[in-house]
Amino acid sequence: MSLALTPEERAIATGEAGEGAAMAMRIVAESAKLLGAPRLIPIASAHIDGALYHGDSGTLFAERLVEGGARVAVRATLNVGALDLMGCSRVRLEEPARGMARRMMEAYRKLGCEQNWTCAPYQAGHRPAAGTDVAWGESNAVAFCNSVLGARTNRYGDFLDIACAIAGRAPDYGLHRPENRRATLVFDVSNLPAKFLKSEIAWPILGNLYGREVGNAVGVMAGVPGHPGEDALKAFGAAAASSGAVGLFHIADVTPEAPTLAVALGGLEPQATIRVTPQMVADARRSLSTAASDDRIDAVAIGSPHLSLAEFDRLEALINGRRLRVPIYACTGRHVVWELDRQQRRTALETAGVVVVVDTCVVVTPILPDKPDGVLMTNSGKFAHYAPGNTGYAVIYGSLADCVESAAIGKPILTDFA
């Protein structure tokens, strides 16, 4: 199937709107050809993952777009960068990498992207309407956008995301097409204790298990007793998109494209049903911890995806005025920090031993102390998945309450969730 461009798209690709826009349109068009898409479709917005520094080529690419006069054609928010530009935390990135990372972040500002610097743009006001086509990067944001908001995006990788934002177009394939959004399997959690399903700790564990069981298929979860809340769905999607390649999940009676199990399945029988048992959950929880023993921790990290204001409320309540013996690195977005500052709450958190991390997170840039045998405790399924490889720290996984208690007394405390 050949790709058909409109006259306007062909004109942009040949340079009528400037070399930067032409480069972006050509990237989108060539990607569409490789994917077998018959056409490009207009998009309403983009969320850009490609502004995180991984090497000089990414900076030079962004600056080339700027030099070519490119500007985003749609609303475009930014995922985390490599630096905490607000200066809340100390990033140990040295020159010349530090300078190149700053240049990269500046280039994306010049392209017209909003300076949100958060992996949870949907909690910072960027919430496209259900049924609209968008081009989002960052795996958790993609999963949330598709699943919870009901907008339509594929998992757009670095640099294709900004190209789509500049072109205002995306390839017409994958999850943009309604027929590809139907669930083909059931992930049944009805045999799990209701108390567990209503707990905070359940959702990263279930997300990790879901991703490993499902891969890149579209599934529907059945047996959930009521809406678990947006932060729980955020945690589930992040873990599922990390352990698997999940771009869209449904939860019967909860998410917008699954008012019933039958609707989520498109009226067809599932190709498979995964009946989740307590033993499967226990095994998944154990898999999230990689530390050889649970007798010490060197740091606690939370906020992947970035913490909401409600999660800070919970954190403050759990600390309850105590001074922490082990620092808690709390990663969040500017929209939350501005509210914490408006309410005069950040100083008390920092005095207690919380290190607020803004614009970035501890897994993508060096913020944690350089400690080859370090042990990190977290309540994030995504942190648990990536921290050992990205930071060198072994992981102990626990609930937020476990993390705070452990930080307060200086050693790991793990409670039974059964």
Side-chain angles (χ1 to χ4, degrees):
M1 184 181 294
S2 60
L3 175 70
L5 295 181
T6 66
E8 179 188 2
E9 290 163 352
R10 286 196 298 271
I12 294 172
T14 55
E16 284 195 10
E19 182 50 38
M23 185 168 76
M25 184 64 78
R26 290 195 297 267
I27 289 170
V28 176
E30 289 302 314
S31 298
K33 290 178 184 177
L34 291 171
L35 294 165
R39 64 186 182 123
L40 305 182
I41 53 175
I43 57 171
S45 74
H47 181 62
I48 311 300
D49 186 51
L52 175 61
Y53 177 77
H54 290 298
D56 291 358
S57 59
T59 300
L60 298 176
F61 171 78
E63 290 180 338
R64 174 77 177 274
L65 290 171
V66 172
E67 290 164 5
R71 295 276 297 181
V72 295
V74 296
R75 182 182 186 183
T77 50
L78 287 167
N79 193 44
V80 296
L83 300 175
D84 181 340
L85 296 180
M86 291 187 69
C88 296
S89 60
R90 179 179 178 274
V91 176
R92 296 184 295 100
L93 195 63
E94 303 297 335
E95 299 293 355
R98 189 180 191 90
M100 293 298 285
R102 186 174 292 277
R103 281 172 53 182
M104 189 176 197
M105 296 172 84
E106 175 64 11
Y108 278 90
R109 184 192 67 79
K110 291 178 178 177
L111 290 171
C113 300
E114 296 178 22
Q115 305 296 287
N116 312 78
W117 302 114
T118 180
C119 57
Y122 43 85
Q123 293 188 325
H126 189 180
R127 300 172 73 93
T132 58
D133 289 295
V134 298
W136 279 32
E138 199 330 278
S139 61
N140 104 82
V142 168
F144 193 98
C145 182
N146 276 316
S147 311
V148 183
L149 301 181
R152 298 174 179 178
T153 182
N154 291 305
R155 287 173 55 131
Y156 285 97
D158 292 2
F159 315 138
L160 178 54
D161 50 12
I162 186 61
C164 288
I166 293 167
R169 307 285 195 282
D172 182 17
Y173 87 108
L175 295 176
H176 289 292
R177 292 178 165 266
E179 65 268 22
N180 295 329
R181 298 177 68 84
R182 177 181 67 84
T184 58
L185 58 86
V186 175
F187 188 80
D188 185 357
V189 298
S190 59
N191 289 327
L192 300 180
K195 179 181 178 182
F196 169 69
L197 290 173
K198 293 177 180 179
S199 70
E200 165 252 326
I201 198 172
W203 294 92
I205 296 171
L206 289 173
N208 177 267
L209 178 61
Y210 181 92
R212 289 191 284 111
E213 293 284 341
V214 169
N216 65 353
V218 178
V220 55
M221 185 186 295
V224 176
H227 199 299
E230 193 165 286
D231 284 324
L233 296 178
K234 173 180 73 172
F236 177 87
S242 300
S243 63
V246 174
L248 166 64
F249 63 86
H250 302 294
I251 301 179
D253 304 318
V254 173
T255 56
E257 294 173 71
T260 66
L261 186 64
V263 169
L265 291 164
L268 303 177
E269 290 297 314
Q271 296 174 9
T273 297
I274 301 165
R275 301 190 189 281
V276 182
T277 66
Q279 185 60 53
M280 292 168 68
V281 169
D283 291 343
R285 182 183 184 179
R286 280 192 294 271
S287 74
L288 290 170
S289 293
T290 60
S293 65
D294 56 3
D295 59 351
R296 70 178 179 90
I297 53 171
D298 299 291
V300 172
I302 58 177
S304 182
H306 274 170
L307 294 174
S308 66
L309 190 62
E311 288 171 311
F312 268 103
D313 293 342
R314 174 75 170 145
L315 175 63
E316 286 176 312
L318 289 168
I319 293 174
N320 194 27
R322 291 175 293 177
R323 183 71 172 87
L324 304 174
R325 296 187 180 186
V326 173
I328 295 178
Y329 293 82
C331 305
T332 193
R334 295 180 172 193
H335 60 290
V336 172
V337 170
W338 288 332
E339 186 61 22
L340 289 175
D341 285 346
R342 187 187 71 81
Q343 298 178 14
Q344 300 182 337
R345 295 164 60 185
R346 179 155 64 103
T347 299
L349 284 164
E350 292 173 335
T351 300
V354 175
V355 179
V356 178
V357 178
V358 190
D359 296 341
T360 186
C361 88
V362 299
V363 166
V364 300
T365 202
I367 292 176
L368 295 174
D370 187 7
K371 196 174 182 65
D373 63 342
V375 177
L376 175 72
M377 191 169 186
T378 186
N379 72 330
S380 162
K382 186 169 184 176
F383 269 162
H385 183 82
Y386 287 115
N390 287 14
T391 69
Y393 277 63
V395 168
I396 296 175
Y397 175 80
S399 68
L400 180 60
D402 289 341
C403 287
V404 174
E405 287 303 309
S406 300
I409 69 172
K411 65 179 182 180
I413 294 291
L414 294 172
T415 55
D416 186 7
F417 60 78

